[in-house]
Amino acid sequence: MDQQQAIEEVARALIEHGGPDCLTDPHIAVAAMGRAISLGATHSDIAAEMKRQRAGR
């Protein structure tokens, strides 16, 4: 997995599993975030990808 793939994965995970309701296992989003950060992604990278994915819905 490269950095861009990790960013896309964490954005999907946060959109699907995060948020105030967090009705699923929160570890899914936390693990994806850890992978992306360890590959050099920034919070800004992830936020931008979340916006891009939400716009595509």
Side-chain angles (χ1 to χ4, degrees):
M1 176 179 295
D2 67 18
Q3 181 180 348
Q4 184 57 40
Q5 290 170 321
I7 291 169
E8 291 168 4
E9 176 195 31
V10 72
R12 274 191 309 276
L14 289 169
I15 290 167
E16 293 173 5
H17 302 287
D21 294 336
C22 197
L23 300 175
T24 60
D25 184 356
H27 294 100
I28 294 169
V30 172
M33 178 72 82
R35 285 189 292 278
I37 297 295
S38 71
L39 288 169
T42 66
H43 288 96
S44 297
D45 296 333
I46 295 164
E49 178 62 20
M50 288 176 69
K51 287 179 186 176
R52 188 193 69 76
Q53 288 185 20
R54 284 186 178 133
R57 284 185 165 190

